Amino acid sequence: MLDTILEVAENAGYEQAELEVIADNKPAIALYEKLGFIRYGIFPDNMKYKDGDYVDAYWMMKKLDGSGGL
């Protein structure tokens, strides 16, 4: 589904896609990296769990090539 969203965004003229992901969500990070997203930054203590623990988030970005294909 994310492939489709990225393709629609690219065809609409968007130059890049950005997302935030919780740093300990390894399966999601692996998926995003497989789709071509790169980590560019960290948001420290971005989210607080109910137990009071804080967790960082990564800012990830993927350049869209503008050719209509991913």
Side-chain angles (χ1 to χ4, degrees):
M1 184 181 342
L2 189 50
D3 278 331
T4 301
I5 292 168
L6 292 170
E7 186 174 347
V8 168
E10 185 176 338
N11 289 334
Y14 288 89
E15 295 180 0
Q16 66 189 37
E18 302 175 10
L19 60 85
E20 289 180 30
V21 60
I22 300 303
D24 62 0
N25 190 344
K26 307 266 188 252
I29 293 166
L31 171 66
Y32 298 142
E33 288 175 340
K34 182 178 176 182
L35 291 170
F37 283 85
I38 298 170
R39 283 184 251 176
Y40 283 96
I42 297 174
F43 298 108
D45 296 336
N46 182 261
M47 188 182 82
K48 184 177 181 180
Y49 288 118
K50 286 183 180 182
D51 67 5
D53 289 340
Y54 286 88
V55 64
D56 296 344
Y58 294 138
W59 173 63
M60 300 182 78
M61 191 261 295
K62 173 185 173 72
K63 290 283 188 184
L64 304 175
D65 67 11
S67 69
L70 295 175

